[in-house]
Amino acid sequence: MSAIEAFFAAWGMVEADERAAAIREAVADGVSYADPRTDAPLIGADAVSDYVGMFTQAAPGATANVVKSDTIQGMTRATVAFRMPNGMEQHGQYFVEPSDGPITRMVGFVGTGGPE
């Protein structure tokens, strides 16, 4: 499992310590994470883990899974499916550096950038 896949698998983990450990394993020290729901980039594994924990608490039973990815010159574009227990699904697209090893920077967008 790649660091990107492991990071998003952690979004569905209920146990806070297990989720935090999985995120720490997937990201580098000083990781930068931003998406449309963050006011500013989150810096560090603890900040990112706390943010993911808020998702887990707000949507119990929801999962996040990489459904498609491609890489060019060390940058990965990953399409992620956020699935709610009621069957609702939303896609997001993330740009992740580096493409191998622990994540140092991730920027996410709602949708996939195509006509929706």
Side-chain angles (χ1 to χ4, degrees):
M1 179 180 295
S2 74
I4 299 167
E5 292 166 329
F7 174 79
F8 284 106
W11 288 58
M13 294 179 178
V14 176
E15 172 57 46
D17 291 340
E18 180 182 342
R19 181 176 56 249
I23 290 171
R24 279 190 209 100
E25 178 95 8
V27 303
D29 291 337
V31 64
S32 174
Y33 174 91
D35 73 22
R37 292 182 175 88
T38 60
D39 294 330
L42 304 173
I43 305 298
D46 290 342
V48 174
S49 182
D50 290 347
Y51 179 74
V52 174
M54 290 188 314
F55 168 83
T56 304
Q57 289 177 349
T63 61
N65 297 294
V66 176
V67 293
K68 182 179 178 189
S69 67
D70 55 343
T71 300
I72 297 174
Q73 297 184 11
M75 172 77 71
T76 297
R77 174 179 60 179
T79 302
V80 178
F82 294 90
R83 294 184 179 109
M84 302 300 144
N86 66 1
M88 187 182 92
E89 183 173 306
Q90 179 180 359
H91 289 103
Q93 197 161 68
Y94 289 78
F95 295 86
V96 185
E97 294 176 312
S99 59
D100 58 350
I103 299 163
T104 59
R105 183 170 183 239
M106 182 180 293
V107 179
F109 296 82
V110 173
T112 58
E116 312 260 340

